Structures are given as structure tokens and as C-alpha cells.
Amino acid sequence: VQLQASGGGLVQPEGSLRLSCTASGFTWDDYTIGWFRQAPGKEREGILCYNSAVGAGSTYYADSVEGRFTVSRDNAKNTMHLQMNNLKLEDTAVYYCAAYTKRTYDSGLYYCVRPYMFDYWGQGTQVTVSS
């Protein structure tokens, strides 16, 4: 089982980036994805968690990203995407995707505040927002 995160880079404020998290060894059909980030000197923050078994109603967005970030899925590529729009300087961080590979019906919030529950983590991808 492996998660491969990609798509980070340098972007100007108000720009957009799309991060991807491709899974191998399992499919996203029934499991939970979490997107986390960690900025220098700050704690890891759960910014978006989505339980595929529940669907869109389970999606949790941290206040810091709500209205700007969304999650989507490419079934053919077994990939989850994090679309980030209207990026701000404070979005600069290393972004991680993670998977909880047990089928449950809990909300995304339940998982975003419990990062220790995630079984697998991607390697992290740097997002830098700078003018």
C-alpha cells in the first residue's frame, strides 16, 4: 500500500494549485482521505477530510480553507485531488495526504482531529505562496 502525493509548487497569492494523491494497493471507494498541512514552527493541521463510504455529506473543511479548497476524485486513476483556489501567504506549508482504510460511516471531522488514526501517509509536497 502506498500513497503518492504530487502537485505542489510555487504560486502567487490568489493563484491556484491542484494536489493529487494516488493510491496503490487499495481503492478510495470505501475509505477516508485526509489532507493535512504543516507550516514551519506550527502543528500539523487537518484541513480537509472526506469519507468515501459516506460521500459529499461527510466532507470536513477547516475554517482556514473553507470556500477555497475542494476535494474531488478520479476513479480511473484511483486518485484524490485537492483543488486549492485563492491561495494566501498563510497557506504555505508541506501538504500531506493520508488514508484510513477501514470502512466506517463517521464524518470527515471525526478523522481530521484524529490524524493518528490514518494508516498510510503520502510523502508530503511543498506548497509555497509568495509574490
Side-chain angles (χ1 to χ4, degrees):
V1 174
Q2 191 174 15
L3 296 180
Q4 180 70 38
S6 61
L10 174 64
V11 63
Q12 293 186 338
E14 300 181 10
S16 296
L17 276 177
R18 188 178 77 164
L19 305 185
S20 300
C21 184
T22 300
S24 58
F26 70 94
T27 66
W28 288 113
D29 287 348
D30 295 323
Y31 302 139
T32 297
I33 183 170
W35 286 99
F36 297 82
R37 69 185 181 186
Q38 188 163 20
K42 295 189 176 182
E43 293 187 357
R44 180 174 49 187
E45 176 189 15
I47 59 171
L48 192 157
C49 291
Y50 168 75
N51 186 341
S52 298
V54 176
S58 74
T59 310
Y60 165 76
Y61 298 93
D63 290 345
S64 56
V65 306
E66 189 164 16
R68 302 186 297 122
F69 291 13
T70 56
V71 64
S72 64
R73 186 171 148 189
D74 183 337
N75 291 334
K77 297 181 179 179
N78 202 29
T79 297
M80 300 291 280
H81 298 294
L82 178 67
Q83 179 67 43
M84 306 186 295
N85 298 326
N86 190 23
L87 283 160
K88 303 177 180 181
L89 297 175
E90 53 265 37
D91 293 319
T92 295
V94 177
Y95 285 70
Y96 300 89
C97 63
Y100 177 68
T101 57
K102 292 179 179 60
R103 184 185 176 108
T104 71
Y105 297 96
D106 295 307
S107 69
L109 171 60
Y110 180 87
Y111 294 101
C112 261
V113 298
R114 295 173 174 82
Y116 53 84
M117 293 191 68
F118 286 83
D119 305 298
Y120 303 102
W121 291 79
Q123 80 279 19
T125 184
Q126 176 71 46
V127 172
T128 301
V129 184
S130 174
S131 55

